[in-house]
Amino acid sequence: MSCDVLVIVEHNEGRLKNVSSEILSFFGKIATDNGVKVVAFIFGDHISEKLYCDIGKLGIREIVSHVNNELDEQPGLVAGMIADLAKKVKPKLIVMANTVKSRDSAPMIAQKLDIEMFSDILNIDYKKTVINLARLVYGGKAIEKIKLLNQQALITVRPNVLGNDENEAFIPTITKLKTNELPRTQTYLTKAKITKEKVQKPINEADVIIAIGRGLRRVEDLIMVNDLARVVNGVIGSTRPVVDMGFVRRSHQIGQSGRSVSPRLAILLGISGQIQFVAGISKAKTIIAVNKDSKATIFKSADYGIVGDIYSIVPILTRELKKLKLQNR
Amino acid sequence: MKILVLVKEIIDTNSKIVFNKQKKLDESQVKWVVNLYDEYALEEAIRIKEQFGGEVVIYSVGNDRTKDTLNYIMSMGADRAVLIKSELTDAKSVSEILAKQIREKDADFDLILAGWIGIDWNRGQVPGRVSSVLEVPFVNVVIDIDINGKIVTCEKEGESSNEIIDVQLPALITVQRGINEPRYPSVLSIMDNTEKKIEIVDNIDQSTTKKAIIKIEPEKNRKKTYMINESDPELAVKMLMKKMIADKVM
Ligand SMILES: Cc1cc2nc3c(=O)[nH]c(=O)nc-3n(C[C@H](O)[C@H](O)[C@H](O)COP(=O)(O)OP(=O)(O)OC[C@H]3O[C@@H](n4cnc5c(N)ncnc54)[C@H](O)[C@@H]3O)c2cc1C
């Protein structure tokens, strides 16, 4: 068996992660349009017929699968397994999601295969002879353009950037992976998992983000923001000072020392627009900023800017968006 | 305990990023600093040394200029540093250079600490690659470290849950903001240039990897902002909704 593109699939207990759906449908479309051979690799626990079906629906014809419940917590073993598989199927491109999980094993895989890796990819232009990729560097101030000609490479793709292509559904063929004994030099013991209070969607996978800055004065005022988030199905993120005040969890901090995100819509409330914050939000498709200071730099990074007090704007915006939602139903 | 800390000198991303006519980054206008996350790693290393004794050694791939940056950061309390001068800057080459020198000079390390990502190029590759070459366990994005003899208990940050992990030394651990507050180097130790032991090595190895062609360009600005400066909030929101519907954003 050989292929052009090997997609490493991520799932939560048998449910495809959004970012993996995006990657699979993107390459499913390329497979149909250009005859590129794409193989999806899925591993871990809770792998079912339904999961295979879901992958087939995205335009994928071939799946390699490996059921093993130890792997979820052992990036060292995952890396060995994926490197072995890549040596067998010889893909030009190995594609992973840019999630915490993949970022553990990806550099080890690339090193084992002796190839280059490019993380947090925002754009892929796949042609038979050349693959063009783009990512951001220098705190979002510059774009790095990468041209792959004939070499194998590994990439991790940012959630929310590839969209969801509609493809012809297939019933995929399933090959069970035969693994050799994996070397255990890079393993550790996971003793416990601390689940964070409420299982919120990771901020980098959110379709809509409501980001708050120091313009929000008290923790109780989060109720107002929550109401808005609920109406637009959004996830709440924030600037660093708001995390430091303990209003929002660190995993939901946006920016240079937090997460970089690419939601469809970002509503920024009471944020000044320092470069360290903007670095993380600049790839949102549409940005609305509300700030009472008409000279706030955040307006330079926004598509829509309202000069005003968030305490008067947000409740009205929530009400109007709710109305619109009901109308469109 | 012998602790190695991987440190990268980076462009201060606060400085103006300017491209010259050849579309190359104008390096004369930028400030060079230590990668923020590497400072957390060094601070953690020094704290472990203060508690258990041992040695803290900085490893860095850079150039002549990097010496000044290392001098400064060493004043936080590192014992010595190894600076490997190299033209190669891709993650794979840098990792291989680091791993090779570590094997030659400090193969008896107990722990390697590093920042989980470099905020300049946003790659997050070198620590994982180094761990792979040295064949030691790799625990990524850690916010708490607790040493018990040859076992280190780490809290590893995840997306929806954190993990508590026991890893056996020798190991490579990367750290995340939140693990500590780095100390400021004391003025006295910054001024005192004589004592710092920075060993400078020239890398002579060539890269054999077939490399991608890479171009860096300034990021384009967003289209013009639609500004609403209206004292009546009801009206302001109405204007926003109307415009967004017209733009088909809603
Ligand atoms: C190395 C480094 C890394 C950093 N990393 C990050 C990072 O990852 N993410 C990050 O966010 N920051 C980061 N920072 C911090 C960053 O520089 C800024 O301090 C921070 O982004 C500012 O947050 P803010 O906009 O919430 O607060 P402020 O700058 O205080 O801005 C508050 C804004 O709210 C407006 N406002 C106040 N009240 C109201 C109201 N009632 N209605 C409307 N508007 C109001 C004000 O006009 C002001 O513009 C980093 C800094 C450094 C040095």
Side-chain angles (χ1 to χ4, degrees):
Chain A
M1 197 196 336
S2 72
C3 68
D4 299 303
V5 178
L6 176 65
V7 178
I8 313 300
V9 179
E10 278 191 45
H11 59 101
N12 280 329
E13 308 195 330
R15 286 202 3 253
L16 267 186
K17 275 201 190 168
N18 277 346
V19 54
S20 286
S21 298
E22 289 160 8
I23 295 170
L24 290 167
S25 70
F26 179 85
F27 284 101
K29 181 160 167 50
I30 289 174
T32 310
D33 294 353
N34 307 353
V36 168
K37 197 170 161 197
V38 179
V39 169
F41 177 51
I42 186 150
F43 64 93
D45 210 353
H46 302 278
I47 296 175
S48 63
E49 282 302 319
K50 168 156 187 319
L51 190 53
Y52 296 148
C53 261
D54 289 345
I55 295 173
K57 275 187 207 148
L58 298 166
I60 301 296
R61 290 167 230 222
E62 273 186 62
I63 297 176
V64 175
S65 144
H66 183 62
V67 180
N68 181 336
N69 57 14
E70 185 192 20
L71 290 174
D72 267 353
E73 293 159 357
Q74 291 285 6
L77 293 180
V78 169
M81 173 181 66
I82 294 175
D84 282 351
L85 173 63
K87 281 178 192 155
K88 271 185 234 155
V89 298
K90 299 189 174 57
K92 247 167 61 181
L93 199 61
I94 302 165
V95 186
M96 301 178 81
N98 194 58
T99 55
V100 172
K101 198 174 202 176
S102 285
R103 297 207 61 158
D104 287 352
S105 57
M108 295 192 267
I109 299 168
Q111 191 59 34
K112 284 181 205 297
L113 293 171
D114 221 6
I115 59 173
E116 283 200 284
M117 161 179 164
F118 301 97
S119 48
D120 207 9
I121 294 295
L122 300 170
N123 194 42
I124 307 172
D125 172 25
Y126 192 106
K127 299 207 183 69
K128 276 243 136 130
T129 49
V130 51
I131 304 168
N132 288 302
L133 308 163
R135 60 194 296 278
L136 288 179
V137 293
Y138 302 140
K141 286 180 183 167
I143 188 154
E144 180 179 30
K145 294 190 170 166
I146 300 144
K147 196 187 275 295
L148 292 173
L149 292 172
N150 223 336
Q151 62 271 61
Q152 191 180 47
L154 185 156
I155 62 173
T156 66
V157 180
R158 187 186 284 197
N160 282 338
V161 297
L162 296 182
N164 265 311
D165 285 298
E166 292 276 335
N167 295 322
E168 186 187 340
F170 293 97
I171 298 177
T173 61
I174 316 290
T175 313
K176 295 263 152 64
L177 180 72
K178 289 188 204 67
T179 49
N180 306 326
E181 186 60 34
L182 293 165
R184 302 193 71 90
T185 46
Q186 287 196 279
T187 53
Y188 49 63
L189 173 74
T190 303
K191 290 199 300 191
K193 283 196 180 172
I194 311 171
T195 307
K196 298 173 181 170
E197 315 90 72
K198 221 171 106 207
V199 188
Q200 244 200 13
K201 207 177 196 177
I203 190 90
N204 57 340
E205 289 177 28
D207 181 45
V208 177
I209 290 175
I210 318 291
I212 51 176
R214 274 221 296 234
L216 193 88
R217 284 192 289 268
R218 291 168 302 258
V219 72
E220 309 88 270
D221 303 337
L222 271 169
I223 297 171
M224 166 183 92
V225 182
N226 230 335
D227 286 344
L228 174 60
R230 208 158 333 129
V231 171
V232 290
N233 223 339
V235 176
I236 296 176
S238 80
T239 62
R240 188 166 102 177
V242 176
V243 169
D244 290 344
M245 290 187 291
F247 290 10
V248 170
R249 266 197 268 118
R250 176 146 286 138
S251 59
H252 283 57
Q253 177 191 320
I254 296 164
Q256 194 183 321
S257 54
R259 298 263 186 266
S260 290
V261 294
S262 312
R264 180 174 54 78
L265 175 66
I267 305 178
L268 314 182
L269 305 172
I271 292 175
S272 59
Q274 299 304 306
I275 180 69
Q276 293 91 352
F277 171 79
V278 171
I281 198 83
S282 64
K283 278 289 154 185
K285 237 173 239 128
T286 301
I287 297 180
I288 305 172
V290 184
N291 195 305
K292 66 181 181 189
D293 175 7
S294 66
K295 291 194 197 70
T297 27
I298 194 63
F299 289 129
K300 288 201 190 113
S301 312
D303 301 288
Y304 304 93
I306 296 188
V307 182
D309 188 323
I310 57 169
Y311 288 92
S312 50
I313 298 288
V314 171
I316 301 171
L317 186 61
T318 307
R319 188 192 71 210
E320 289 302 314
L321 287 168
K322 202 183 235 163
K323 254 197 233 161
L324 187 71
K325 196 169 148 189
L326 290 172
Q327 275 170 23
N328 289 349
R329 211 171 251 169
Chain B
M1 184 105 128
K2 185 186 258 191
I3 308 167
L4 315 183
V5 184
L6 310 183
V7 167
K8 186 184 183 195
E9 183 193 39
I10 64 165
I11 290 178
D12 181 357
T13 46
N14 288 322
S15 44
K16 236 184 157 65
I17 306 284
V18 184
F19 291 82
N20 61 23
K21 285 208 180 69
Q22 290 83 42
K23 281 200 164 177
K24 275 248 185 297
L25 182 77
D26 184 354
E27 292 200 355
S28 66
Q29 304 224 23
V30 299
K31 234 176 81 192
W32 294 88
V33 294
V34 170
N35 179 37
L36 170 75
Y37 294 107
D38 301 348
E39 282 186 39
Y40 297 119
L42 182 56
E43 174 65 35
E44 199 61 22
I46 294 167
R47 288 188 190 190
I48 295 170
K49 181 190 148 179
E50 283 166 353
Q51 202 180 347
F52 300 99
E55 191 185 17
V56 174
V57 189
I58 291 175
Y59 270 80
S60 184
V61 173
N63 50 41
D64 285 319
R65 185 198 52 231
T66 312
K67 200 172 167 225
D68 296 334
T69 306
L70 291 188
N71 245 324
Y72 174 77
I73 186 128
M74 276 187 77
S75 315
M76 279 171 68
D79 295 290
R80 59 188 170 91
V82 178
L83 166 61
I84 308 128
K85 289 202 292 181
S86 165
E87 300 279 298
L88 301 167
T89 54
D90 64 285
K92 182 168 181 289
S93 302
V94 168
S95 309
E96 286 166 358
I97 291 168
L98 285 168
K100 184 180 164 188
Q101 292 297 329
I102 289 172
R103 271 207 177 124
E104 272 178 22
K105 297 187 163 56
D106 289 295
D108 57 342
F109 68 87
D110 296 289
L111 177 62
I112 302 179
L113 291 174
W116 80 275
I117 200 166
I119 57 179
D120 54 346
W121 290 342
N122 188 28
R123 298 193 290 212
Q125 292 190 40
V126 168
R129 283 183 184 266
V130 170
S131 81
S132 180
V133 180
L134 296 175
E135 292 187 71
V136 293
F138 171 48
V139 193
N140 205 9
V141 200
V142 165
I143 55 169
D144 191 29
I145 286 180
D146 190 20
I147 313 250
N148 309 295
K150 279 280 167 197
I151 305 275
V152 180
T153 305
C154 309
E155 179 167 355
K156 170 175 167 39
E157 192 181 77
E159 265 156 13
S160 52
S161 63
N162 287 359
E163 288 174 28
I164 305 295
I165 286 168
D166 271 356
V167 64
Q168 178 101 35
L169 296 180
L172 194 156
I173 298 173
T174 71
V175 301
Q176 159 73 315
R177 201 176 113 80
I179 191 160
N180 56 40
E181 273 311 319
R183 69 195 69 191
Y184 289 103
S186 74
V187 178
L188 271 180
S189 59
I190 296 172
M191 304 290 281
D192 171 22
N193 262 322
T194 49
E195 296 244 337
K196 292 179 198 104
K197 298 182 205 98
I198 303 186
E199 178 183 359
I200 299 178
V201 187
D202 277 302
N203 169 57
I204 44 162
D205 297 336
Q206 295 297 311
S207 165
T208 51
T209 320
K210 200 170 160 203
K211 293 216 187 69
I213 303 162
I214 292 182
K215 262 198 319 205
I216 311 268
E217 292 174 8
E219 169 70 337
K220 284 186 219 69
N221 288 331
R222 220 160 253 276
K223 64 174 199 317
K224 218 172 152 7
T225 313
Y226 177 75
M227 283 299 291
I228 302 166
N229 201 341
E230 176 57 59
S231 56
D232 176 8
E234 289 281 351
L235 193 57
V237 172
K238 282 221 171 77
M239 287 167 71
L240 173 71
M241 299 292 290
K242 204 169 147 205
K243 177 72 175 142
M244 287 204 298
I245 292 167
D247 291 350
K248 300 202 161 54
V249 177
M250 282 288 160

